[in-house]
Amino acid sequence: MTSIAIIGAGPQLGLAIARTFGSQGFDVALISRNREKLDSLVGKLTAEDITAAAFPADVIDREALGQALQDAAARFGGIDVLEYSPVGTLGSTVLTTPAETEPAHLQHEIDQLYGAVTATRAVLPAMREAGSGTLLYTTGAGSIDPVPQVGNVNAAAAALRNWAINLHKELDGTGVQAAHVGIDVSIGTPAVPGFPTAQPEEISPVYWQLHTTERDRAELVFSL
């Protein structure tokens, strides 16, 4: 039995990744803050004959996140793939330019990095012991080519990208793949008029590629 845990699971990219892996026989553990939304996603996947379950947790709550992954591993007999892509809520996330940024503007965003570290520590020991597994970390492409209008978000995302690529180097030869996915498009609907936009189903195959045929890659950037 194989399984994927999707952290930050939502109705767009998270659901598309769940469908991509679920269609290949993976069980799906969905992790995010909102139980009601997770149950809705589980219902959709179940209707498509994909085995899925919800494990509510906020990535900022490290104890809850670790427990959610422990529960998911117990339910599905382990976690073979971890996908990490939590995002702030549109309209509630404070965006600042580099010159405007104060430490408080960075703290919530940096917590996303702490969540990635927490999640990885929860699943990596078993992957190392098995000599197999995949760890995938998603950010916007501003982690690579930053944009002043979202300076605080880009800075934290760049830290996560750096950590993920460095983890890839550390795990070389262990059978465990770690990689960063940079999304250089708006997903579903344009965030900015004129900015390239892709549907989640166009992006999700990238994750399957990294898990299967491109395990030597530390990074893959999706763009149009």
Side-chain angles (χ1 to χ4, degrees), residues 4 12-24 81 83 134 136 138 181 183 187 198-215 217 220-222:
I4 180 171
Q12 294 206 80
L13 184 58
L15 180 58
I17 293 171
R19 284 171 166 154
T20 294
F21 280 79
S23 68
Q24 299 293 331
V81 180
E83 192 281 319
T134 302
L136 302 173
T138 305
V181 179
I183 307 295
I187 301 174
Q199 297 306 308
E201 295 76 15
E202 298 177 81
I203 304 171
S204 59
V206 162
Y207 295 84
W208 184 252
Q209 288 174 238
L210 287 167
H211 173 61
T212 55
T213 61
E214 301 196 43
R215 297 186 61 80
R217 295 189 64 161
L220 200 159
V221 178
F222 182 93

Side-chain angles (χ1 to χ4, degrees), residues 87-152:
V87 295
T89 303
L90 188 64
S92 65
T93 300
V94 176
L95 304 178
T96 60
T97 69
E100 295 171 333
T101 299
E102 300 176 5
H105 296 140
L106 275 170
Q107 184 58 59
H108 180 270
E109 303 307 318
I110 287 293
D111 279 339
Q112 309 287 346
L113 170 60
Y114 299 154
V117 172
T118 299
T120 301
R121 289 176 62 84
V123 302
L124 181 55
M127 290 182 177
R128 279 185 178 274
E129 184 176 351
S132 64
T134 302
L135 304 161
L136 302 173
Y137 307 91
T138 305
T139 73
S143 63
I144 304 165
D145 183 15
V147 179
Q149 292 87 339
V150 287
N152 59 326

Side-chain angles (χ1 to χ4, degrees), residues 138-200:
T138 305
T139 73
S143 63
I144 304 165
D145 183 15
V147 179
Q149 292 87 339
V150 287
N152 59 326
V153 173
N154 286 172
L160 174 54
R161 172 184 181 254
N162 178 285
W163 181 83
I165 292 174
N166 213 13
L167 180 62
H168 174 90
K169 294 177 180 179
E170 181 185 1
L171 294 175
D172 183 41
T174 66
V176 181
Q177 157 74 330
H180 170 251
V181 179
I183 307 295
D184 195 20
V185 295
S186 291
I187 301 174
T189 57
V192 178
F195 193 75
T197 302
Q199 297 306 308

